[in-house]
């Protein structure tokens, strides 16, 4: 997403570039809880039928999903800003 601001009085121009993050923290948490409930219910049901080996794989799967969601949410916070005035150009990057 690109945001541009111009001030005629101070003759400054600012441009902010950041990802278009459609997945916010609340939606990610809701998604993770929903997937976790379904996965764990299925794994527990199989464990009750004697296939207990399913549980560690379900937990590993959910751990990996949580780590991936965390990485996506962190990358959504990236941004670059460019400030231009009469005698200087400043580029700021936030990872």
């Amino acid at each position: 997403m690109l945001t541009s601001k111009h001030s005629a009085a101070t003759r400054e121009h600012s441009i902010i570039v950041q990802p278009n993050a459609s997945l916010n923290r609340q939606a990610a948490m809701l998604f993770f809880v929903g997937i976790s409930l379904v996965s764990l219910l299925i794994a527990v049901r199989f464990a009750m039928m004697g296939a207990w080996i399913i549980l560690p794989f379900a937990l590993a799967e959910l751990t990996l999903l949580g780590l991936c969601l965390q990485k996506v949410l962190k990358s959504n916070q990236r941004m670059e800003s460019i400030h231009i005035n009469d005698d200087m150009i400043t580029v700021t990057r936030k990872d």
Side-chain angles (χ1 to χ4, degrees):
M1 180 169 40
L2 181 79
T3 306
S4 179
K5 296 178 186 175
H6 178 70
S7 173
T10 60
R11 297 178 61 178
E12 285 189 2
H13 194 76
S14 297
I15 301 170
I16 299 174
V17 180
Q18 57 192 20
N20 187 13
S22 60
L23 182 68
N24 60 19
R25 190 166 297 279
Q26 183 180 6
M29 185 63 76
L30 184 64
F31 171 73
F32 183 71
V33 168
I35 293 294
S36 296
L37 285 175
V38 170
S39 180
L40 289 176
L41 284 173
I42 292 170
V44 166
R45 178 68 180 141
F46 273 101
M48 290 172 48
M49 293 185 337
W52 58 270
I53 196 70
I54 300 286
L55 283 174
F57 289 104
L59 292 176
E61 176 185 78
L62 293 175
T63 302
L64 185 61
L65 176 63
L67 291 172
C68 290
L69 283 173
Q70 187 177 20
K71 182 174 175 144
V72 166
L73 290 174
K74 185 176 179 182
S75 71
N76 284 345
Q77 296 176 356
R78 294 178 306 163
M79 68 169 266
E80 288 186 8
S81 62
I82 304 168
H83 299 285
I84 305 168
N85 59 20
D86 286 339
D87 59 346
M88 186 174 15
I89 298 174
T90 307
V91 178
T92 307
R93 184 176 189 174
K94 178 185 166 194
D95 287 327

